[in-house]
Every structure is written in C-alpha cells, then in structure tokens.
Amino acid sequence: MQEIDKEKLPRHIAIIMDGNGRWAKKRLLGRISGHMKAADAVREVVTGCRELGVKVLTLFVFSTENWRRPADEVTALMNLLKEYLLKEVDEMRKNGIRLNAIGRIEDLPPDVRNTLQETMKKTEQCDGMVLNLALSYGGRSEILHAVQGVLSDFRRGRIKPEEVTVQRFSQYLWTRGIPDPDLLIRTSGEFRISNFLLWQIAYTEIYVTETLWPDFGRAELLKAIADYQSRERRFGLTSEQLNGMEE
C-alpha cells in the first residue's frame, strides 16, 4: 500500500476513464459488459477520494464524440448513467458528496437529464467533496461556449476587452467556481488528452497507467497520488525560487 501525505493531496483530480472496451474484449465479452464493470471502478474511486479528503473529482464520463458510437452502446451508456445516479444518490448524501455536471447537458435524453438534475438538487447542500461528471463534454466546445459568452456580454456593455483576463475568462467556462485539476489520470496507457479540460490543465500533472479502467481501484488511485506527490510543481519558476519561497 502506498504511503500518502495527507497534507499534500491534490485538491482536484480529473480522470479520463479509458479501456472499457478492451477490458471486455480480453474476456470475450461485449463492450457493454465493460461499461457495466466500469461502474464498480467509479464507486471505488469516488469512495477512495472522499475518504482521503480530495475536494474535487472530475470524471470524463461521455464526450461529445461518443455520440457517434453505435446506437445500442450509447443507449446502454445512458441507461447505466441513470442507474448509477439512482443507486448512489443516498450514498452521496450520506458521505457529503455534491454532484455537479459539466458539458452540453441539454443533449442528454430527457429521462437521464431529469435524473441528473434531481440528483444534483438532492446533493446541493453536501460540502465534503464535489463529484463533477463531464457529460456530452468537449474541451473545444467549452472554450467556444465561453468565447460566445464573453462576446454576448461585450455587446451588452457588461465587459470591456481589457477586462478579459485569465481569471475573468475562467468564469465563463463550465467549470467556473471549481479549481483547476492538480492531477490528471488517464487509464489504458493512451497518451492523449482527448479534448478534455483543455483550458484547465495548463499546469496539471499528468499520470498515465496501463491499467484498464474497470480494473482501476483504490490501490491504483493511491499509486497515482503517490507519484503526484513525488513531483516538484514549479508553475514556471525554478527549483531555487520555490525553495526560497518555502524558507
């Protein structure tokens, strides 16, 4: 078991959950079986983050590109999402987990969207951890949406060009109010960002594991956090500057 420094936890962990299809193929199962098994990994990682004291966990659940998958797989994914929300809402409330969602939520099927909104409403007073689900999400779409918001406010006289700072622009993103990720985990060994949180991960530490998402559990989570804690986060400064700031 990895030794974790509770004083140096990443405040926000984001995960690209990849490898469900390969997990199923290795076992001569259909892709949907992989997605069903993946729900167990979600439960374990959410519980692990909450117990450790991580404040925000963002999961890349469904991308804007995923709508192009076979219709039966998309339907199964939507049903699994709805089932997960219905099963876990009481556990979220019990453990102080507030559900949030980012992305084009309006694209979700009405019954799934309603269940999502009801779950967010039921957990809105929870303050132990934020579980942030990226649904029908794409990083480029998010940035375009933010630019459109800035232009709309400019036309209405609410903002001047010189007032569009990094901090101000961030308030137009779907993640407004949420700190940028400290750690991005990608499973299945792929070295791609896949259009995920393109603005927010400018200074995020990236951890890639060969483990397929359905096999990713608490031990893998601790390994990723331990790796994160072994790194020096300089944000453009030198090691000497950082050490001087700490003295």
Side-chain angles (χ1 to χ4, degrees):
M1 191 66 71
Q2 297 287 330
E3 289 293 328
I4 299 298
D5 185 347
K6 292 291 189 70
E7 300 300 317
K8 295 182 179 179
L9 284 172
R11 183 171 50 165
H12 180 179
I13 296 176
I15 304 179
I16 300 174
M17 306 180 296
D18 194 17
N20 298 347
R22 272 169 282 174
W23 183 92
K25 186 176 181 180
K26 284 173 61 176
R27 291 159 177 79
L28 304 180
L29 301 171
R31 290 178 59 85
I32 293 171
S33 295
H35 297 313
M36 293 174 67
K37 178 63 176 175
D40 295 335
V42 170
R43 292 186 186 94
E44 189 163 350
V45 169
V46 170
T47 300
C49 285
R50 178 67 183 97
E51 291 175 350
L52 286 169
V54 174
K55 294 302 180 184
V56 183
L57 173 63
T58 296
L59 301 178
F60 199 3
V61 177
F62 194 88
S63 74
T64 49
E65 292 78 18
N66 287 155
W67 292 112
R68 299 200 297 263
R69 291 190 175 186
D72 60 341
E73 183 175 350
V74 171
T75 298
L77 285 166
M78 291 295 110
N79 289 337
L80 285 170
L81 171 60
K82 181 178 178 180
E83 180 181 318
Y84 173 84
L85 295 172
L86 291 171
K87 283 185 176 180
E88 299 298 320
V89 61
D90 290 338
E91 197 70 15
M92 289 183 201
R93 295 176 66 183
K94 176 183 175 182
N95 292 306
I97 299 172
R98 177 168 64 86
L99 184 71
N100 186 57
I102 59 173
R104 294 179 54 85
I105 308 304
E106 64 274 15
D107 292 344
L108 300 177
D111 60 323
V112 178
R113 185 172 64 247
N114 291 338
T115 300
L116 175 68
Q117 292 171 337
E118 288 170 6
T119 307
M120 289 193 291
K121 180 68 175 178
K122 290 177 179 177
T123 62
E124 64 182 356
Q125 299 303 318
C126 297
D127 59 4
M129 186 182 88
V130 175
L131 174 57
N132 196 37
L133 304 183
L135 297 165
S136 192
Y137 174 87
R140 288 179 173 179
S141 293
E142 179 180 29
I143 293 170
L144 284 175
H145 180 269
V147 170
Q148 290 164 356
V150 171
L151 292 175
S152 177
D153 280 353
F154 173 72
R155 285 196 299 268
R156 290 173 169 79
R158 296 174 180 170
I159 191 171
K160 299 176 182 178
E162 61 270 21
E163 294 174 339
V164 185
T165 62
V166 168
Q167 293 75 19
R168 189 74 177 271
F169 186 79
S170 294
Q171 296 305 305
Y172 288 87
L173 296 170
W174 289 322
T175 54
R176 59 185 173 275
I178 297 174
D180 290 343
D182 300 298
L183 172 62
L184 171 65
I185 299 170
R186 174 151 195 161
T187 60
S188 85
E190 299 290 349
F191 287 83
R192 291 192 301 275
I193 299 303
S194 295
N195 198 20
F196 185 46
L197 299 177
L198 297 180
W199 174 276
Q200 297 87 343
I201 61 171
Y203 289 101
T204 298
E205 297 294 327
I206 300 176
Y207 176 86
V208 177
T209 174
E210 294 287 337
T211 302
L212 303 177
W213 175 249
D215 291 327
F216 193 95
R218 186 181 180 89
E220 287 286 342
L221 174 67
L222 293 176
K223 189 184 298 185
I225 294 174
D227 183 85
Y228 163 84
Q229 292 184 343
S230 72
R231 305 184 190 183
E232 182 180 66
R233 308 197 72 209
R234 297 196 299 271
F235 299 98
L237 302 178
T238 66
S239 297
E240 292 74 16
Q241 285 177 303
L242 278 180
N243 292 331
M245 292 169 61
E246 293 172 356
E247 293 175 357

